[in-house]
Amino acid sequence: MDTRGARPGAGDSSLVALARAGEHGACEVLYRRHSAMANRFAYRLLGRDGEVDDVVQDAFVTAFATLGRLDEGKSFSSWLCAILARTAMRARRRRRLLERFGFFQAKPLDLEGFVAPDASLDLRAEVQSLYAHMDRMPENLRTVLVLYRVEGMGQPEIAALLGVSTRTIKRWLARADAAVARRVGRGGGT
Amino acid sequence: VSRLGGALDYRIDRARAERQWDAISDRLSRPPRRRARAIVTLGVAAGIAGLLGGGEVLRRRTIVASGSQGSATGDRIVAGPAGVPDLALPDGTRLTVGPRGRLRLAASARLRLVTLESGVITLDVAHDPMRPFEVTAGRVVVRVLGTRFTVALGAESGDVTVSVERGLVQVRRIDETVTAPAVELPSGATWSSRGLEPPQPAVDDGPAAPLIAPPQARPVTSNAGPASKTPRLKLVSTGPRRSPGRGSPAPPASPSRVVEARSEPSPRSLFALAEGALLAGDVRGAAAAFERFLRRYPADGRAALAAFELGKIRLDVLGDPGGALAAFTEAAARSSDERFVEHALARRVHALDRLDGGPRCRAARDEYLSRFSAGGQAGTVRGLCR
């Protein structure tokens, strides 16, 4: 642990240790450090602003309640991202089930308000199109596609995050790409 | 993040982040089953009360008040000419609103808040140590420590009068800083804001221990004044007194009794101030706030963390390995968690290495390695003090 040149406040291991010991203040500091990242990540996974709060809250509650399972030396933020990804998948599955039984009215994708002002028109269209195509995909394929195409993660990283093998990730990505290609081919998805 | 991810500029504002944390904190503090049961109980109670017409019930954000006595929508109450007698809040607090009184109610996981806009209210507050109850009236904040009391806000003058019937409340003037003066009102006392001077500057804590105040430290707030300017607030009248909840009479308060005002930011707000300064990049302000936290609340559960953060700032930013050494030593001493102690002791070796890397450093390194030979920092620590 070289502290020279380290950013003050960097390194969460001491906070994690305190949080494990039941120190509520440490949980709060961890939340404040990672909330911006967590909200951004959740939003990119979901594509809808209205669902972000629930997913972020669920993920942090799960993370703090199961801190004992975080291996020594592993980063809290990566671990939180893994929980966020699984929580977002679960939330979307639940929502789609409720939609199917008529208990829930799906809100339209909510991207335009959050596209960076300096993004080109092409980029805007590309983002809109990708999310529209992904919206009806199976959740595992959709999540992998977001992590790969939007978050820019490598396949081994995604595999570690979701707790599956790299071969599985490759297979899911191939299926997701094929699904997008089919939708583009028939001009659907929006 | 890829090119596509970079195109999505998603941020949440501070208020939304606070709401998120409140919800998380609330869920962490309550076991799920108990929470679900509490919600069901509350719902059933609200339903029965509604069916029987037995008074007004405050649901989460909606108040139902009878029309002749006033109107209420959302979290706001506007009383009619007859006032609103005995409103029951879900936490068990009873509220009476005087004629034409106006107020707002809000609650979070950590605070219950009434904002009195005009008129007179009487509250019989249900004790909840996890969620203090505050009443804001004009420029005055009344913090309730479990009690029955009345607050009146003059519509024209803006004068605030607080009368305590039972228990204890704390009154302070609203100030820009968290260190506004406060006065405690015992049962039977009445306090008025009329004729009072604006709040005086915060009280300084006097000379500090070496760990807490290195020479380069500076106060967090710019209005800290000398101890000789300790603000005083006066109890202007008294009534019959009872000691809180015991029934035995308390000694009568003299009308001329002067209560020492106290400047006490809570440990939570002081820690949040320090952490906020750190996140905002104001590391010197953060260091000063952590020092102040340790000085004021050395026994608080967050003291170890405050000392640790202070040590990191001193070592990494302020270039003060001597100060960092003291802080890490303090952090290790204050925590009983082995993993945290390991980090603090490892950092201590780094500080000694930065100081001179001499015999003390080697001794600290060997002490660390003998205790945490398989620890996560062992590899790095082994290479120090050479």
Side-chain angles (χ1 to χ4, degrees):
Chain A
M1 180 182 56
D2 184 7
T3 62
R4 286 168 223 205
R7 186 171 59 84
D12 296 323
S13 42
S14 54
L15 287 168
V16 168
L18 270 184
R20 272 187 184 135
E23 174 47 58
H24 194 66
C27 294
E28 182 169 354
V29 177
L30 282 168
Y31 167 78
R32 293 195 189 286
R33 283 188 184 179
H34 296 283
S35 68
M37 176 278 294
N39 278 279
R40 241 183 344 258
F41 189 65
Y43 173 75
R44 288 183 187 136
L45 285 167
L46 296 161
R48 287 173 172 83
D49 179 42
E51 297 170 0
V52 168
D53 287 307
D54 286 345
V55 166
V56 170
Q57 286 169 25
D58 286 350
F60 270 105
V61 169
T62 306
F64 291 141
T66 57
L67 267 182
R69 293 184 211 158
L70 175 59
D71 295 334
E72 175 74 17
K74 274 203 169 179
S75 132
F76 176 79
S77 61
S78 305
W79 192 61
L80 180 65
C81 283
I83 295 173
L84 275 164
R86 288 194 295 271
T87 309
M89 269 203 279
R90 260 204 315 273
R92 284 184 53 88
R93 280 197 184 112
R94 193 170 54 233
R95 178 168 64 74
R96 285 168 78 158
L97 187 70
L98 291 173
E99 274 176 51
R100 206 165 291 159
F101 288 103
F103 292 121
F104 189 87
Q105 182 81 36
K107 288 182 182 166
L109 279 168
D110 184 13
L111 293 168
E112 191 53 40
F114 301 105
V115 175
D118 56 347
S120 66
L121 284 177
D122 285 350
L123 199 53
R124 281 168 186 262
E126 201 177 335
V127 170
Q128 294 271 13
S129 164
L130 178 66
Y131 272 89
H133 289 314
M134 289 191 305
D135 211 33
R136 306 314 298 179
M137 258 184 208
E139 284 313 314
N140 56 339
L141 304 190
R142 185 185 185 284
T143 302
V144 168
L145 207 54
V146 171
L147 295 176
Y148 190 69
R149 299 248 182 265
V150 181
E151 289 295 327
M153 289 182 176
Q155 292 179 8
E157 199 182 352
I158 299 172
L161 197 77
L162 298 181
V164 296
S165 69
T166 311
R167 284 185 64 179
T168 303
I169 295 298
K170 278 185 181 159
R171 205 170 58 242
W172 286 357
L173 268 176
R175 281 171 56 195
D177 282 340
V180 171
R182 272 198 307 276
R183 284 178 165 271
V184 171
R186 58 172 188 254
T190 51
Chain B
V1 175
S2 74
R3 192 173 58 94
L4 286 178
L8 288 173
D9 185 24
Y10 183 80
R11 291 170 199 195
I12 62 165
D13 60 25
R14 179 171 282 200
R16 188 166 162 191
E18 285 300 321
R19 284 197 301 275
Q20 271 187 8
W21 171 246
D22 278 349
I24 292 165
S25 178
D26 189 33
R27 288 172 62 181
L28 287 175
S29 63
R30 295 181 192 194
R33 265 187 197 180
R34 206 174 129 202
R35 191 176 71 242
R37 201 178 301 141
I39 290 168
V40 170
T41 308
L42 185 64
V44 170
I48 292 170
L51 282 172
L52 298 177
E56 301 81 6
V57 176
L58 174 68
R59 279 178 282 158
R60 191 169 176 207
R61 291 188 64 79
T62 307
I63 298 156
V64 184
S66 44
S68 63
Q69 292 166 335
S71 63
T73 53
D75 50 6
R76 191 156 196 246
I77 296 177
V78 180
V84 180
D86 201 21
L87 191 67
L89 308 187
D91 65 341
T93 296
R94 313 293 297 198
L95 167 66
T96 302
V97 187
R100 304 195 187 286
R102 299 156 73 95
L103 62 127
R104 286 179 185 278
L105 295 155
S108 75
R110 282 184 251 148
L111 185 69
R112 296 166 289 167
L113 179 67
V114 169
T115 305
L116 179 61
E117 294 171 351
S118 69
V120 180
I121 55 170
T122 300
L123 283 148
D124 198 341
V125 175
H127 182 60
D128 182 352
M130 301 300 289
R131 290 198 307 161
F133 199 107
E134 281 191 0
V135 179
T136 303
R139 304 272 307 158
V140 171
V141 178
V142 183
R143 175 163 277 226
V144 181
L145 310 170
T147 195
R148 179 176 170 83
F149 67 104
T150 299
V151 181
L153 173 62
E156 299 288 318
S157 64
D159 288 336
V160 179
T161 305
V162 184
S163 306
V164 184
E165 191 177 316
R166 186 174 68 237
L168 190 68
V169 303
Q170 198 177 63
V171 182
R172 68 182 165 86
R173 303 286 292 264
I174 291 175
D175 189 52
E176 295 302 315
T177 69
V178 291
T179 57
V183 61
E184 284 189 354
L185 297 186
S187 110
T190 298
W191 176 92
S192 170
S193 66
R194 188 176 304 154
L196 281 176
E197 293 299 313
Q200 297 294 308
V203 183
D204 195 26
D205 297 292
L211 162 71
I212 309 303
Q216 64 269 42
R218 62 178 172 76
V220 179
T221 51
S222 58
N223 65 342
S228 60
K229 287 192 178 178
T230 301
R232 285 162 181 259
L233 298 178
K234 195 172 179 180
L235 292 177
V236 294
S237 67
T238 57
R241 305 183 67 205
R242 282 176 288 172
S243 61
R246 299 274 172 92
S248 57
S254 158
S256 61
R257 178 182 170 199
V258 174
V259 181
E260 286 287 339
R262 296 186 305 169
S263 302
E264 290 289 335
S266 70
R268 187 184 171 280
S269 56
L270 197 46
F271 194 87
L273 186 72
E275 186 64 22
L278 191 62
L279 291 174
D282 176 14
V283 284
R284 287 183 185 278
F290 281 130
E291 286 161 9
R292 196 164 158 212
F293 181 90
L294 288 166
R295 194 162 58 224
R296 283 175 183 260
Y297 303 109
D300 187 272
R302 285 163 284 214
L305 181 56
F308 189 84
E309 294 287 331
L310 179 61
K312 283 201 295 182
I313 295 170
R314 284 178 179 172
L315 188 64
D316 299 335
V317 182
L318 302 181
D320 175 20
L325 174 65
F328 289 133
T329 306
E330 188 71 15
R334 286 184 191 279
S335 177
S336 56
D337 184 86
E338 277 295 288
R339 291 191 197 206
F340 181 81
V341 171
E342 186 204 337
H343 283 282
L345 290 182
R347 292 266 183 177
R348 189 168 170 268
V349 182
H350 278 278
L352 281 163
D353 184 51
R354 196 81 66 87
L355 265 178
D356 57 10
R360 275 177 73 199
C361 182
R362 286 192 285 278
R365 178 195 63 192
D366 294 344
E367 183 197 338
Y368 169 89
L369 290 172
S370 67
R371 195 166 162 187
F372 304 106
S373 57
Q377 320 300 326
T380 319
V381 171
R382 212 167 270 127
L384 297 173
C385 316
R386 302 218 181 259

